[in-house]
Amino acid sequence: MYRNNNNKKSLNISSMFGNFIPDSDIFSRRCIWVNGPVIVGAGPSGLAVAAGLKREGVPFIIVERANCIASLWQNRTYDRLKLHLPKQFCQLPNFPFPEDYPEYPTKFQFIQYLEDYANHFEISPKYNETVQSAKYDETFGLWRVKTISKSGPLGSCEYEYICRTLVVATGENAEKVVPDFEGLEDFGGDVLHAGDYKSGGRYQGKNVLVVGCGNSGMEVSLDLYNHGANPSMVVRSSVHVLPREILGKSTFELGVTMMKWMPVWVADKTLLLLARIVLGNTDKYGLKRPEIGPLELKNKEGKTPVLDIGALPKIRSGNIKIVPGIIKFGRGKVELVDGRVLEIDSVILATGYRSNVPSWLKDNDFFSDDGIPKNPFPNGWKGEAGLYAVGFTRKGLFGASLDAMSVAHDIACKWKEESKQHKKTAAARHRRCISHF
C-alpha cells in the first residue's frame, strides 16, 4: 500500500489485474489507484480545487512538473510585477488576503499568499512529476494518467495513476509562445522571452526591442526605461489601453459593475469615453484601438486590455518608442514593415503563453486544438467521464476561482454519493452473511 500526500490510501494495483488488463504498458510503471481525483497542476487553479476538496473531505493527489507551487509566478515573472486587479478579485476561495496587503499586491506578496494558502489547507503536491499522457479507458471506465517523476531517490521513476476523476488545472499559460522570425538565429545579440526576464538592470544603455504590446510588453518596456535602457516596442495590431483606475476606482471593478446594469456595448462606450478623458487619444501614439470594445473583445476572444501603470506617459514623451511589425532580423538589427532598419542590442519576446493540454490529454473532444475548453465560460469546467477543467476561463484568477468552486462541489457530491452506495452494498452483504447462521 502507498499513502498519497493527503494521508489517504492509494493502492498499488500492478499485481491485481494481470489477467484482466491487456495493455502490457501498465506493468512498466508503478501503478497506483487513487480513491479520488488526480489534479494536474499546482498553480492557483489546482490549489483552489484541492482546497475545496479538502473542505469536503474528498481524497486526491495533485501532481506538479515544477519543484514548487505556482511555478509561473515564481519562475517566469519579472520582479516589478504586481497584480493588475484589486486583491479582492484575485483571492482564492475561502482564504482572503491579509488586511495589511496593499490593494495591488506585489508578485512576492502573492507568492507568499499562495504558500500560506497551501499550508492552511495542508496541500502537498507531488513535485517534479510531469504528466506524459492522460487517457480515458472506456473498457474499465477509468482514467489512466502516466507520469514521470525526477524526485525519486533512484532518479527518474514512472507512475501510472488510475482514477475515476481527472482535473486539468495546467491553465492557459503553460508554455511560452516563441514566434519564428526570419533571421532571428543570425541576430547575434541577446534574445529572451519575457518569461525569463527579471529586471532591466543588465540592459542599461542598450537598445532593446520588445516584441509584443500586451500588459507584459508594456511593463517590460517601462522597466527597461527605468533602468536606463532605450526600449522600442513592436505594435503589430490594435490594442485597448485603459487606465488601471478611473476616479480612484478600479477600471475592472467599474466595468464589472456597469455590466450588471447595462448592455456590454453601452459599458464599453462608457469605459472608452472615460479612458479618452484620462489618457487622451492613444491612436496618435501608435496604439490604435480595435473596433470592438474592450469588454466585448475580452468576452469573445479572450484578449485582455492593457491596464496602464505608467508606460503611456513614457510613450507620449518618446522615451518608449512604438514601432510597427517586423519583416526580418539581421546581424544586430531589425527591418520593420515601414522600411526602417533599427540597430538593436537585445530582443525581448513578450509574445505570451499557451495551453499545453493537447500535448498530453489524449483522445478527448472537450478541449479545442489550442488547449482551451470548447464550451465558453461559465460552462467550460465540466466534461464527460469525470473530466474537469480549471483555469481556462480567460478571466484570470477571478474566473479560475469560480470554476474551482464548481468543480470541487460537483466532485464532492459524486464522491459522497458513491461512498454511500459502497456502504449500502457492504451492509447488504453483511446482512446476507448473518442470515446464513
Side-chain angles (χ1 to χ4, degrees):
M1 304 281 276
Y2 297 93
R3 289 187 180 271
N4 67 18
N5 288 325
N6 300 288
N7 298 319
K8 299 290 183 179
K9 290 183 178 180
S10 301
L11 184 64
N12 186 329
I13 63 172
S14 297
S15 60
M16 293 180 60
F17 293 99
N19 296 324
F20 301 100
I21 301 179
D23 189 349
S24 61
D25 179 62
I26 200 169
F27 303 115
S28 66
R29 301 167 180 264
R30 179 174 294 182
C31 196
I32 300 173
W33 164 256
V34 181
N35 184 27
V38 170
I39 303 171
V40 183
S45 298
L47 295 177
V49 175
L53 295 174
K54 271 280 189 176
R55 285 169 56 89
E56 297 285 355
V58 179
F60 62 88
I61 67 162
I62 179 169
V63 295
E64 167 58 48
R65 64 180 177 177
N67 62 354
C68 59
I69 64 169
S71 62
L72 175 66
W73 284 88
Q74 300 216 45
N75 301 329
R76 291 188 281 162
T77 51
Y78 37 91
D79 293 342
R80 66 162 286 127
L81 179 64
K82 294 182 179 181
L83 294 181
H84 293 132
L85 306 182
K87 60 184 179 181
Q88 66 265 29
F89 296 105
C90 300
Q91 65 190 23
L92 301 187
N94 305 301
F95 197 78
F97 278 100
E99 291 185 3
D100 61 347
Y101 270 34
E103 185 171 14
Y104 299 95
T106 67
K107 154 191 171 175
F108 302 104
Q109 289 172 321
F110 185 60
I111 291 170
Q112 185 59 57
Y113 166 79
L114 294 176
E115 296 279 7
D116 293 341
Y117 190 87
N119 291 333
H120 178 79
F121 290 104
E122 299 180 334
I123 302 168
S124 300
K126 296 170 69 67
Y127 295 120
N128 299 305
E129 190 159 343
T130 302
V131 174
Q132 294 181 308
S133 69
K135 185 175 182 180
Y136 186 69
D137 190 324
E138 295 184 0
T139 303
F140 293 93
L142 299 169
W143 284 95
R144 297 171 58 176
V145 183
K146 299 178 182 180
T147 70
I148 183 166
S149 172
K150 298 180 180 179
S151 60
L154 301 178
S156 297
C157 184
E158 295 183 343
Y159 295 93
E160 181 162 21
Y161 298 102
I162 310 297
C163 57
R164 291 191 181 92
T165 306
L166 176 65
V167 180
V168 179
T170 48
E172 305 156 350
N173 302 314
E175 302 289 348
K176 301 171 189 173
V177 173
V178 180
D180 184 18
F181 289 110
E182 182 183 349
L184 188 58
E185 67 277 6
D186 301 320
F187 167 62
D190 184 39
V191 179
L192 200 68
H193 191 276
D196 300 312
Y197 176 92
K198 297 302 178 185
S199 169
R202 59 186 278 200
Y203 298 97
Q204 183 175 6
K206 293 185 177 181
N207 298 321
V208 185
L209 185 72
V210 179
V211 183
C213 61
N215 280 296
S216 293
M218 287 280 195
E219 288 198 41
V220 167
S221 296
L222 178 61
D223 190 58
L224 286 166
Y225 170 76
N226 289 339
H227 282 90
N230 304 308
S232 297
M233 185 170 62
V234 175
V235 180
R236 293 187 306 132
S237 56
S238 55
V239 58
H240 278 300
V241 180
L242 304 175
R244 185 169 69 172
E245 293 184 344
I246 296 175
L247 300 175
K249 202 164 191 69
S250 159
T251 302
F252 174 81
E253 185 176 1
L254 185 62
V256 170
T257 301
M258 287 193 295
M259 283 194 295
K260 292 179 180 178
W261 301 101
M262 61 184 71
V264 173
W265 70 269
V266 177
D268 270 335
K269 292 281 188 184
T270 306
L271 270 185
L272 291 176
L273 175 61
L274 293 171
R276 178 77 176 241
I277 294 171
V278 175
L279 301 179
N281 180 12
T282 60
D283 285 26
K284 64 182 181 180
Y285 305 115
L287 302 171
K288 185 179 179 180
R289 293 194 181 278
E291 293 183 4
I292 301 176
L295 299 176
E296 186 178 359
L297 191 64
K298 178 67 173 174
N299 288 339
K300 284 186 174 181
E301 301 181 23
K303 292 184 178 180
T304 302
V306 172
L307 296 177
D308 180 58
I309 59 168
L312 192 59
K314 306 304 179 188
I315 293 172
R316 285 198 204 100
S317 65
N319 292 312
I320 297 175
K321 297 177 178 61
I322 301 298
V323 299
I326 296 167
I327 293 180
K328 64 180 179 180
F329 285 90
R331 189 76 177 175
K333 62 185 180 180
V334 61
E335 182 180 346
L336 305 174
V337 294
D338 63 359
R340 282 185 290 167
V341 176
L342 302 182
E343 301 291 329
I344 54 175
D345 302 301
S346 303
V347 177
I348 296 175
L349 302 172
T351 45
Y353 299 87
R354 61 172 166 241
S355 166
N356 70 353
V357 173
S359 68
W360 57 268
L361 184 62
K362 307 301 181 183
D363 301 334
N364 90 98
D365 294 323
F366 183 62
F367 284 86
S368 63
D369 291 340
D370 61 357
I372 303 296
K374 293 178 181 178
N375 293 327
F377 179 83
N379 301 312
W381 57 271
K382 185 177 181 180
E384 301 291 333
L387 178 64
Y388 296 87
V390 182
F392 299 89
T393 64
R394 293 176 171 168
K395 296 185 180 295
L397 293 164
F398 181 70
S401 293
L402 292 177
D403 275 0
M405 289 187 288
S406 298
V407 168
H409 176 73
D410 196 65
I411 292 174
C413 289
K414 289 184 177 180
W415 190 83
K416 290 175 181 179
E417 185 61 32
E418 289 175 358
S419 297
K420 288 180 182 178
Q421 292 299 326
H422 289 320
K423 289 179 181 178
K424 288 179 181 179
T425 301
R429 289 174 180 168
H430 181 64
R431 287 193 295 270
R432 286 198 297 270
C433 290
I434 292 175
S435 67
H436 290 304
F437 291 94

